[in-house]
Amino acid sequence: MAEHESLEFGKADFVLLDNVSLEEFMANLKLRFEKGRIYSYIGEVVVSVNPYRAMNIYGRDTIEQYKGRELYERPPHLFAIADAAYKAMKRRNKDTCIVISGESGAGKTEASKYIMQYIAAITNPSQRAEVERVKNMLLKSNCVLEAFGNAKTNRNDNSSRFGKYMDINFDFKGDPIGGHINNYLLEKSRVIFQQEGERSFHSFYQLVKGAPDAQLRSLHIQRDPTAYTYIKVGGQIKSSINDSADFKAVTDAMKVIGFTTEEIQTVYKILATILHLGNLKFGSDGDVTLIENSKLVSVLGDLLSTKDENVEKALLYRTVATGRDVIDKQHTHQEASYGRDALAKAIYERLFCWIVGRINDVIEVKNYDARVHGKNTVIGVLDIYGFEIFQNNSFEQFCINYCNEKLQQLFIQLVLKQEQEEYQREGIPWKHIDYFNNQIIVDLVEQQHKGIFAVLDEACMNVGKVTDEMFLQALNGKLAKHAHYTSRKLSPTDKNLEFDRDFRIRHYAGDVAYSVVGFIDKNKDTLFQDFKRLLYNSSNPVLKAMWPEGKLSITEVTKRPLTAATLFKNSMISLVENLASKEPYYVRCIKPNDVKSPLLFEHERCKHQVEYLGLLENVRVRRAVKRLLQGCGFEHDVAYGKTKVFIRTPRTIFSLEEQRAEMVKRIVLFLQKVWRGTLARMRYRRMRAALIIIRAYRRYKVKSYIREVNRRFKNVRGMKDHGKHVKWPTPPKVLRKFEEALRNIYNRWWAWMLIKDLSPEEMVQIRAKVATLECLKGQRADLGLQRAWEGNYLDSPGTASSFTLVSSDLQRKDKFMRVLFSCNVRKINRFNKAEDRALLITDRHLYKMDPVKQYKGYFSGPKDQLVVFHTKDNRDLIVCLQGIVPAGDSRIGELVGTVLSHFKSEKRKLQVNIVSPIHCSMNGRKCTVIVETKINQSQPDFTKSRSGYILSVPGN
């Protein structure tokens, strides 16, 4: 198929292998690598092996060889796949995308840059200035994003530590007119920590080594990366990267893109801020946390354009809202260190997202009208982190590997599965090709309620201290029977896993053990609100714009933000949907060795990648093309060329024409299906429009009701009855419960307006009367609510002096605070003798002279003044209130309300029963008290009966 390569370089297309086996595939791949042929085909898929050396195959001459050519006219190359995607977009007016996948260090980032360079080189033949400007900005954006998003790892000197998907927009002539960049999951933990042998993001080293001396002085930065805690490890690594030259290139690129001088200066101020934050040290003076090197606070205040004291307060204190109160809670040493590191990571992530957004502002298509300029088509280029297995795999590696599972699933669906199913639909017999369907892994991670992300989110939402170990326990409980999940608890003999720390996932690319340490914190992604307010209140407008949520007051209730896992899952689902909507082209990158050698081809290393990338299955699917003619029975009447099929006899042509006619029927059915779908969608749009109108009408009714309520009750505060006479408007059905709640609010306000000016003494009576009403309403006709309650009826002319003397003596003796109720009573004693007594109830005791504690009160029916006080020692007190003036009045309600109100104020319970007859106990003897009405009775009095006592009351 691919021309201009002799067999000494092996087969340029793996579909042409004599025997499709893993051994032949690996032998051909190794031969081509050793001969300097790093690109091969599997049909229309490009297999790329990282050469780990510069190769002279990307110049202008090479570009001209591939420009406008079909895929198989030239040897395999990235330019061929880029040209194929561009032609499909331009010729068929289709959106396309190029998906570049492979391990970390397999060459994905370089491949994406060469594809971008090729597209830029073949477009704009008329040399329009605007198109040249757009192309230049698209290319320069790579330089900037690599500086802030890439880092040196043990596997790769320029490893992308974020995912990037770029859409390039083309006009109807095929010239680029703009683009848009989406970024995914920046590995921000690298800001504060790097594994041995690795560096932080390039931008830090470029600043320290490449910035002019004057700029470094203004940023208070030394030209020594080992002087800064956050990048000290990376600062000691010798590297072939020229940070000084890269600093100038990045600064120039930012200027070309359109960053202002002030914006560029702010970017480097933020980098300097992070470096100084890493050097902040906290100490303790007793219970007080202090900043040991406090001079750095003023440096940070200067860089962040804010007050020093605000910086120090945000680092040492956390403002907490408790109801209406706002307090400053001092950090412990551990909390202060955590806050500092969280701030450093958050500032860098916010800076990176701002840079991406700033680039998008410049490169996005503007003032484009499809009706005037034609359809705007797109080529998407995906350069995203590769599958990673490190010594210690944490939350970031878990997300990265999940991302690769999603992309592999897309590859399976779009390339392998669909092609197989198409042949099966055609009824062509062939040998079934097995492939690893990793949907089970995708579900394991993202399934609602059961997936790892769901369990992690649930753990993060639990109240109280939640640890990573508790999250692992929850995983073990939910996924104990899952074939692709295990942990040390589930596999006690697996010593490669640590108890309460590790779990293992069987990925399509191999088994990976993850440490749960840090999963909870990284998923919550907590940053104290004080830092957001600090940065929002900066006088630097660029910095202020990066933190819009800092505008919120501490007392404002905000919605719980989505977790890092949920955000990443949603972005991956959206990415896959986006890619699936386009015609995909694939570049599968392979890493030949782990030591970055241009000569070494590690067989087992490459074999593992070939297996998990499903390349052999891809070859088998592509080989099935010949089965089409074989299935029709024409294999003896055709000959296969490199790009054409030659047919020997007319009979075959006639037969193909007959099958074509049959196919036309199916095409007609297909068109009918599409049209019916169009009609259904039109009906759906009409229904949706009706629904929108209904919703709008409902909103109108709700707003009208609220406006009417507001109009009617607007001035109730100034009305005499405070709006009691105002008629409520009829609410719409949906607001009936709302109206009920609104009425309750209004009634409470109305009641408050009535009582707010009452004196404390009047409030005591009000509470007592409310207590009476709650207890006795419907039980007695006269509760005495209309008169003033005096409470102390013994303190009256004639008895006042003697009563005052007695009560004062009792107060000194028993230390009570106040008298609740007193009056004359008629009582019956245990010897069945009725006698007059005085009843005195204080806030601590009930007196009939002798103190009796801990009691319950029982009251009789409506026409008498009978009261029975039950005591725990069964020595009940039976009395009838007397001496009431005027005679027809009642004091039962006052007695009940006063005592109940007092008990409520002390948060104690008083049991009140209204019964007839009353059952009681006189010195341990059970008896009953009944009330009888006698015509000739002048005063209530007690008499003995067979079952207890009778209270005779006047009949009129």
Side-chain angles (χ1 to χ4, degrees):
M1 288 189 172
E3 294 180 354
H4 311 304
E5 282 192 352
S6 65
L7 289 178
E8 67 172 302
F9 302 114
K11 300 289 179 66
D13 193 329
F14 286 100
V15 172
L16 299 177
L17 290 175
D18 295 330
N19 294 304
V20 181
S21 65
L22 185 58
E23 291 74 20
E24 283 210 22
F25 189 102
M26 295 303 302
N28 190 59
L29 188 67
K30 181 180 180 183
L31 175 62
R32 291 186 62 75
F33 175 76
E34 291 172 346
K35 294 288 186 178
R37 298 302 192 264
I38 63 171
Y39 298 120
S40 307
Y41 288 140
I42 302 176
E44 295 180 346
V45 176
V46 173
V47 179
S48 170
V49 183
N50 194 340
Y52 287 120
R53 68 182 188 275
M55 301 185 71
N56 188 25
I57 58 173
Y58 305 104
R60 188 72 209 185
D61 291 345
T62 309
I63 290 172
E64 290 299 326
Q65 291 178 29
Y66 286 88
K67 182 179 178 181
R69 299 286 184 172
E70 296 302 324
L71 193 65
Y72 298 111
E73 289 188 70
R74 292 287 183 263
H77 200 287
L78 281 175
F79 292 167
I81 204 78
D83 199 81
Y86 178 73
K87 283 201 300 284
M89 181 273 298
K90 189 174 179 181
R91 289 176 179 175
R92 302 199 296 273
N93 212 25
K94 293 189 68 174
D95 289 345
T96 61
C97 64
I98 301 173
V99 180
I100 308 169
S101 57
E103 279 193 21
S104 178
K108 300 184 301 300
T109 299
E110 291 299 307
S112 70
K113 286 197 288 188
Y114 288 131
I115 288 171
M116 292 280 292
Q117 289 173 14
Y118 179 82
I119 293 173
I122 65 171
T123 53
N124 196 28
S126 57
Q127 295 297 300
R128 287 189 294 159
E130 175 61 17
V131 175
E132 285 301 310
R133 187 188 70 85
V134 169
K135 291 197 303 184
N136 198 22
M137 287 192 298
L138 289 171
L139 293 176
K140 292 293 184 183
S141 67
N142 270 334
C143 171
V144 177
L145 292 177
E146 283 185 20
F148 291 90
N150 289 23
K152 172 182 167 53
T153 68
N154 289 319
R155 299 186 170 193
N156 186 356
D157 282 354
N158 190 32
S159 176
S160 296
R161 307 318 300 163
F162 73 105
K164 181 182 74 173
Y165 174 77
M166 175 182 280
D167 270 332
I168 309 171
N169 299 82
F170 297 84
D171 62 14
F172 71 100
K173 295 192 298 293
D175 289 334
I177 55 174
H180 183 85
I181 298 168
N182 286 328
N183 60 295
Y184 304 96
L185 190 71
L186 179 75
E187 188 193 21
K188 62 182 179 181
S189 62
R190 184 171 291 271
V191 171
I192 65 169
F193 172 78
Q194 306 93 45
Q195 297 190 41
E196 195 67 35
E198 297 193 349
R199 301 203 319 175
S200 186
F201 295 99
H202 297 323
S203 55
F204 292 109
Y205 307 97
Q206 291 173 4
L207 171 65
V208 174
K209 294 184 178 181
D213 291 337
Q215 186 174 7
L216 289 183
R217 281 196 300 274
S218 71
L219 300 174
H220 312 281
I221 293 292
Q222 305 174 42
R223 199 177 292 283
D224 178 14
T226 61
Y228 300 99
T229 304
Y230 281 158
I231 63 169
K232 182 184 294 184
V233 174
Q236 298 167 350
I237 296 171
K238 292 184 179 180
S239 171
S240 60
I241 302 171
N242 189 336
D243 294 306
S244 181
D246 288 345
F247 174 85
K248 186 177 185 311
V250 171
T251 305
D252 291 342
M254 292 172 77
K255 291 176 181 176
V256 170
I257 292 170
F259 286 78
T260 66
T261 303
E262 292 75 16
E263 288 174 335
I264 295 173
Q265 185 62 14
T266 298
V267 167
Y268 291 120
K269 281 184 178 180
I270 291 174
L271 293 181
T273 297
I274 293 170
L275 294 178
H276 289 307
L277 274 173
N279 285 1
L280 270 180
K281 292 183 175 60
F282 297 100
S284 300
D285 183 5
D287 294 333
V288 179
T289 305
L290 303 171
I291 298 175
E292 292 183 350
N293 43 355
S294 57
K295 289 183 179 179
L296 284 180
V297 174
S298 61
V299 173
L300 292 172
D302 176 48
L303 293 172
L304 296 174
S305 301
T306 189
K307 294 179 181 178
D308 300 355
E309 56 267 28
N310 292 345
V311 175
E312 184 173 14
K313 183 180 178 183
L315 288 166
L316 295 178
Y317 293 87
R318 182 181 179 190
T319 308
V320 181
T322 57
R324 295 182 180 178
D325 297 327
V326 176
I327 60 173
D328 292 330
K329 180 178 179 291
Q330 185 166 34
H331 287 318
T332 63
H333 185 285
Q334 183 179 4
E335 289 171 340
S337 300
Y338 172 86
R340 174 200 62 200
D341 292 344
L343 175 61
K345 292 186 291 184
I347 289 178
Y348 193 83
E349 181 186 43
R350 199 63 64 98
L351 169 66
F352 184 76
C353 292
W354 177 83
I355 289 172
V356 173
R358 189 71 183 79
I359 292 172
N360 282 334
D361 290 342
V362 176
I363 67 174
E364 280 187 316
V365 179
K366 298 175 182 67
N367 302 321
Y368 192 91
D369 188 343
R371 292 172 296 183
V372 177
H373 303 104
K375 185 176 183 294
N376 177 344
T377 48
V378 166
I379 292 180
V381 181
L382 178 67
D383 170 22
I384 205 159
Y385 9 63
F387 193 86
E388 293 184 346
I389 307 177
F390 291 134
Q391 191 72 28
N392 178 40
N393 301 287
S394 187
F395 178 75
E396 290 84 3
Q397 278 67 48
F398 180 76
C399 291
I400 286 169
N401 293 343
Y402 155 69
C403 164
N404 279 266
E405 294 281 1
K406 291 286 290 183
L407 294 177
Q408 177 66 7
Q409 182 65 13
L410 179 69
F411 180 78
I412 289 170
Q413 289 175 342
L414 296 184
V415 178
L416 302 180
K417 187 177 179 181
Q418 287 183 358
E419 197 149 345
Q420 277 194 21
E421 290 175 350
E422 183 176 354
Y423 283 102
Q424 290 169 355
R425 282 197 302 271
E426 296 296 328
I428 301 171
W430 72 335
K431 183 180 178 181
H432 179 73
I433 297 171
D434 290 321
Y435 51 83
F436 182 87
N437 188 342
N438 59 341
Q439 185 64 48
I440 189 172
I441 309 295
V442 174
D443 290 343
L444 170 64
V445 177
E446 69 177 28
Q447 193 173 19
Q448 288 188 347
H449 309 303
K450 299 179 182 178
I452 294 176
F453 278 162
V455 177
L456 180 57
D457 282 356
E458 185 178 346
C460 290
M461 285 188 288
N462 287 337
V463 179
K465 178 68 174 173
V466 180
T467 63
D468 296 315
E469 292 79 8
M470 294 164 66
F471 160 60
L472 182 58
Q473 291 170 9
L475 284 183
N476 291 335
K478 288 263 180 105
L479 304 173
K481 296 182 180 179
H482 201 286
H484 292 263
Y485 172 88
T486 191
S487 67
R488 186 67 184 273
K489 182 179 180 180
L490 302 177
S491 302
T493 59
D494 190 344
K495 295 184 179 179
N496 292 322
L497 299 174
E498 287 286 334
F499 279 111
D500 297 327
R501 191 193 74 182
D502 298 339
F503 67 91
R504 181 184 290 122
I505 300 294
R506 285 179 52 203
H507 287 283
Y508 81 100
D511 294 357
V512 184
Y514 298 99
S515 167
V516 297
V517 175
F519 263 60
I520 294 290
D521 280 342
K522 289 176 180 178
N523 190 45
K524 283 184 176 178
D525 202 14
T526 304
L527 179 68
F528 298 139
Q529 188 74 16
D530 301 72
F531 290 128
K532 299 176 183 178
R533 286 194 295 275
L534 172 73
L535 296 168
Y536 173 78
N537 291 317
S538 167
S539 59
N540 184 323
V542 178
L543 194 60
K544 183 184 182 77
M546 293 182 190
W547 298 90
E549 65 271 47
K551 183 179 182 180
L552 295 175
S553 165
I554 185 63
T555 56
E556 288 188 65
V557 179
T558 57
K559 187 177 180 182
R560 184 194 293 267
L562 295 177
T563 62
T566 298
L567 288 170
F568 186 66
K569 180 186 76 171
N570 293 343
S571 66
M572 285 299 103
I573 293 172
S574 175
L575 172 64
V576 168
E577 289 176 352
N578 187 8
L579 294 175
S581 69
K582 296 176 171 60
E583 184 174 315
Y585 293 82
Y586 289 91
V587 178
R588 310 291 262 173
C589 297
I590 291 179
K591 184 177 181 181
N593 57 74
D594 286 323
V595 293
K596 304 169 188 172
S597 168
L599 303 175
L600 181 60
F601 185 92
E602 293 181 353
H603 184 273
E604 289 302 317
R605 190 80 182 79
C606 296
K607 177 183 173 184
H608 176 66
Q609 294 172 75
V610 168
E611 287 177 331
Y612 76 68
L613 288 172
L615 299 185
L616 200 62
E617 291 83 354
N618 196 198
V619 173
R620 291 186 176 128
V621 170
R622 298 293 182 181
R623 288 268 287 213
V625 173
K626 296 181 179 180
R627 298 273 182 162
L628 181 61
L629 292 172
Q630 291 174 358
C632 295
F634 302 144
E635 66 272 19
H636 301 300
D637 201 36
V638 297
Y640 298 96
K642 290 184 177 178
T643 60
K644 296 180 181 178
V645 176
F646 296 86
I647 300 175
R648 189 174 291 114
T649 64
R651 184 188 65 218
T652 299
I653 296 293
F654 298 149
S655 181
L656 286 172
E657 283 295 323
E658 289 173 0
Q659 293 187 31
R660 174 185 170 278
E662 183 65 24
M663 181 59 69
V664 168
K665 297 178 183 177
R666 296 175 62 181
I667 292 172
V668 170
L669 289 174
F670 173 79
L671 293 174
Q672 289 176 339
K673 179 189 76 171
V674 171
W675 174 241
R676 285 170 180 159
T678 302
L679 292 175
R681 282 188 289 274
M682 290 168 62
R683 284 194 295 270
Y684 163 76
R685 282 193 289 269
R686 285 195 295 269
M687 291 171 62
R688 188 168 181 271
L691 182 61
I692 290 172
I693 293 170
I694 291 171
R695 286 176 178 168
Y697 180 73
R698 285 178 177 169
R699 285 196 295 271
Y700 161 76
K701 293 292 287 183
V702 168
K703 289 179 180 178
S704 299
Y705 171 77
I706 292 173
R707 281 196 293 266
E708 182 62 16
V709 170
N710 182 59
R711 186 187 66 79
R712 295 190 184 188
F713 287 86
K714 188 175 183 180
N715 300 313
V716 293
R717 188 181 294 273
M719 298 177 184
K720 284 186 177 180
D721 65 348
H722 301 302
K724 198 66 177 176
H725 72 283
V726 175
K727 186 178 180 181
W728 286 78
T730 303
K733 187 175 181 180
V734 72
L735 291 183
R736 284 178 185 171
K737 287 188 177 180
F738 171 78
E739 187 217 30
E740 183 180 336
L742 207 58
R743 284 187 183 237
N744 288 336
I745 293 171
Y746 167 78
N747 289 335
R748 289 177 66 86
W749 173 84
W750 182 81
W752 166 248
M753 292 299 292
L754 292 181
I755 67 172
K756 68 183 179 68
D757 295 324
L758 296 178
S759 66
E761 293 77 17
E762 289 172 324
M763 282 301 299
V764 169
Q765 277 207 27
I766 290 294
R767 289 194 179 96
K769 289 181 178 181
V770 169
T772 298
L773 195 63
E774 289 176 347
C775 180
L776 300 182
K777 186 177 182 181
Q779 302 288 337
R780 299 185 67 90
D782 181 15
L783 298 179
L785 299 177
Q786 305 303 320
R787 63 176 177 82
W789 287 2
E790 297 177 13
N792 193 348
Y793 293 98
L794 295 180
D795 194 2
S796 58
T799 61
S801 58
S802 60
F803 170 75
T804 302
L805 187 64
V806 172
S807 66
S808 298
D809 186 53
L810 288 174
Q811 188 169 20
R812 283 193 301 273
K813 177 185 174 184
D814 293 332
K815 302 295 187 294
F816 63 79
M817 299 297 294
R818 64 189 180 94
V819 173
L820 301 179
F821 183 84
S822 69
C823 77
N824 293 312
V825 299
R826 183 79 170 165
K827 80 176 269 292
I828 189 77
N829 65 17
R830 58 195 175 112
F831 302 108
N832 306 325
K833 182 180 179 182
E835 48 193 12
D836 293 330
R837 289 288 185 268
L839 179 68
L840 174 62
I841 302 176
T842 73
D843 56 350
R844 294 188 62 186
H845 304 293
L846 180 149
Y847 296 94
K848 65 173 176 58
M849 292 307 289
D850 295 331
V852 179
K853 304 175 183 178
Q854 300 176 335
Y855 54 88
K856 298 183 293 184
Y858 284 74
F859 305 90
S860 71
K863 290 188 177 181
D864 55 84
Q865 301 290 300
L866 175 63
V867 184
V868 176
F869 294 91
H870 288 282
T871 65
K872 286 191 173 180
D873 57 3
N874 294 325
R875 297 170 60 189
D876 295 351
L877 175 63
I878 305 170
V879 300
C880 173
L881 306 186
Q882 64 179 17
I884 299 173
V885 180
D889 212 334
S890 170
R891 291 180 187 163
I892 287 291
E894 181 177 355
L895 172 60
V896 172
T898 302
V899 178
L900 273 175
S901 178
H902 172 66
F903 269 66
K904 282 186 179 180
S905 69
E906 293 193 345
K907 297 183 179 178
R908 297 164 59 196
K909 287 187 177 180
L910 176 67
Q911 183 179 340
V912 179
N913 290 339
I914 298 92
V915 295
S916 181
I918 295 177
H919 297 277
C920 53
S921 176
M922 289 293 287
N923 211 29
R925 179 172 58 85
K926 301 293 182 181
C927 61
T928 60
V929 182
I930 61 174
V931 179
E932 289 184 355
T933 302
K934 290 191 176 181
I935 300 296
N936 298 323
Q937 188 83 15
S938 60
Q939 293 290 334
D941 204 0
F942 291 97
T943 57
K944 183 74 177 67
S945 70
R946 294 183 61 186
S947 60
Y949 306 98
I950 297 171
L951 174 61
S952 300
V953 297
N956 44 4

